[in-house]
């Protein structure tokens, strides 16, 4: 049997397995922030830093884009980190080890361009650290000197701190309330480093749009090349629906196929933030209905349990 035949046979066996898209590991790494490992060998085999997947939890589920945090090609596992903010992410967070996700498409999006720049600053906030980690790891692997700045509301919401330290030469931490590291925002840490004559060859910023916007304004003043990973509303993830359109240097681009990474100094962040708020009212109503329904189910279950012998 040739190597090609062996490879094809392995792929056939992988696709026939009953464990496809099964959750193998689950952990809450911060309040309402969970990490899961899923058996998805066809995705793990091709995954690269900067890419994402789109998953559907069940037959009535919507499509959720999530960045690939880690993957193991030999074991066929992928790792995802998400924050429970809406109905779909709460449904995903309710799944347990052994449960299956209906479908996952990926890897999607263009991989990060990895090369030896020299000095690289990685700036990430909140769940953006999950997306920043594989990029940081890849940049470090090719010989870059990495200075990372991690931010969160408070120390409880800091994620992947140890992992980022393992792939960085220096890590700065900031929290809004000062519970850990420097009090304030990641942008203030960057400003303080620049005032000390630190000027990296390139900056990667991943996090809330307002954070990326402020970072872009700072680096533009100092002529520091900056890359951001955008998170617009997305549905199909392959460029057909147009929902993830963003304005880059005055031109319309699709984050799913043209990105998700773009030159920060060309992004229309105000438009991006406005588009992210389009469905905020509907999302709030859907969440209220979902939580009310779940609360009712829990109450009914508790009543039934009282009558059990």
């Amino acid at each position: 049997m040739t190597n090609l035949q062996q490879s094809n046979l392995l792929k056939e066996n992988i696709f026939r397995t009953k464990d496809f898209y099964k959750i193998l590991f689950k952990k809450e790494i911060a309040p309402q922030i969970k990490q899961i490992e899923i058996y998805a060998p066809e995705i793990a085999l091709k995954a690269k830093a900067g890419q994402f997947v789109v998953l559907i939890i069940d037959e009535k589920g919507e499509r959720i884009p999530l960045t690939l945090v880690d993957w193991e090609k030999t074991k066929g596992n992928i790792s995802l980190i998400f924050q429970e903010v809406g109905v779909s992410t709460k449904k995903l967070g309710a799944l347990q080890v052994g449960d299956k996700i209906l479908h996952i498409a990926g890897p999607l999006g263009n991989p990060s361009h990895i090369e030896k720049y020299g000095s690289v600053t990685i700036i990430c906030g909140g769940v953006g650290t999950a997306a920043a980690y594989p990029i940081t790891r890849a940049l470090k692997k090719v010989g870059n000197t990495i200075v990372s700045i991690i931010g969160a509301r408070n120390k409880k919401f800091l994620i992947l701190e140890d992992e980022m330290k393992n792939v960085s030469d220096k890590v700065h931490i900031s929290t809004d309330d000062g519970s850990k590291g420097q009090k304030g925002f990641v942008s203030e840490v960057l400003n303080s480093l620049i005032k000390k004559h630190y000027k990296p060859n390139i900056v990667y910023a991943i996090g809330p749009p307002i954070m990326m916007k402020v970072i872009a304004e700072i680096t533009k003043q100092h002529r520091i090349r900056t890359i951001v990973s955008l998170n617009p509303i997305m549905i199909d993830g392959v460029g057909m629906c147009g929902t993830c359109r963003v304005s880059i240097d005055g031109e319309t681009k699709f984050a799913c196929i043209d990105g998700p990474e773009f030159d920060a100094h060309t992004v229309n962040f105000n438009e991006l933030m406005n588009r992210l708020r389009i469905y905020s009212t509907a999302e709030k109503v859907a969440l209220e209905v979902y939580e009310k329904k779940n609360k009712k189910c829990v109450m009914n279950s508790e009543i039934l349990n009282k009558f059990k012998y």
Side-chain angles (χ1 to χ4, degrees), residues 214-259:
V214 173
I215 295 298
E217 290 170 350
I218 293 171
T219 56
K220 189 173 184 179
Q221 293 175 15
H222 297 277
R223 298 181 181 180
I224 302 171
R225 183 183 173 191
T226 303
I227 303 296
V228 289
S229 182
L230 302 186
N231 57 345
I233 295 169
M234 192 178 294
I235 298 177
D236 62 60
V238 292
M240 295 178 67
C241 70
T243 310
C244 68
R245 61 187 180 273
V246 291
S247 292
I248 308 297
D249 206 15
E251 294 185 11
T252 297
K253 299 288 184 181
F254 295 153
C256 65
I257 57 173
D258 298 315

Side-chain angles (χ1 to χ4, degrees), residues 96-111:
Q96 302 299 321
V97 171
D99 290 338
K100 290 184 181 180
I101 292 168
L102 180 65
H103 186 69
I104 308 176
L108 301 171
N110 296 305

